[in-house]
Amino acid sequence: QVQLVESGGGLVQAGGSLRLSCAASGRTLNGYDMGWFRQAPGKEREFVARITWSAGFTYYADSVKGRFTISRDNTKNTVYLQMNDLKGEDTAIYYCAARPRSSSLYTSWGQGTQVTVSS
């Protein structure tokens, strides 16, 4: 089981940027697709972005496409989410998660980091 710890959240004004990091320990992230999810108050957790483990293909929710970029550094066992042009509706707790290649489920989750966008 891989352990994940997110960091980089905070308070930012609308139009600003943040970069979230997700550091893994316990085992290497090789062989895992990595995803970012978020949960706003009173709402269900939703998918934000995903990156595959080998070729680094990326996928995004329509709501963040063109503004957010997911990336990974396998040498540092870390995944990033660069968030630009932040909007109030991006306010949420952001979670990273790991999905083994052999599974359709994300089996490891971080504790989350709060992102608050003020208007």
Side-chain angles (χ1 to χ4, degrees), residues 1-4 32 96-100 105-110:
Q1 188 93 356
V2 61
Q3 288 80 48
L4 304 173
Y32 287 85
C96 71
R99 186 178 81 178
L105 300 175
Y106 287 88
T107 56
S108 300
W109 292 82

Side-chain angles (χ1 to χ4, degrees), residues 27-103:
R27 59 174 298 165
T28 176
L29 287 179
N30 288 336
Y32 287 85
D33 288 358
M34 297 299 297
W36 284 97
F37 294 77
R38 67 186 182 187
Q39 187 167 19
K43 295 187 176 181
E44 294 187 353
R45 188 176 298 185
E46 65 175 1
F47 167 78
V48 175
R50 177 170 71 93
I51 186 166
T52 61
W53 79 279
S54 57
F57 293 125
T58 58
Y59 306 87
Y60 298 93
D62 288 342
S63 58
V64 306
K65 203 171 293 183
R67 299 188 298 121
F68 290 11
T69 303
I70 187 171
S71 61
R72 64 191 297 163
D73 186 337
N74 288 337
T75 64
K76 295 182 178 180
N77 235 23
T78 301
V79 179
Y80 305 97
L81 185 68
Q82 177 67 43
M83 305 185 296
N84 298 328
D85 190 23
L86 283 161
K87 305 176 181 181
E89 52 263 42
D90 296 318
T91 295
I93 299 174
Y94 284 72
Y95 301 88
C96 71
R99 186 178 81 178
R101 286 183 65 203
S102 59
S103 174

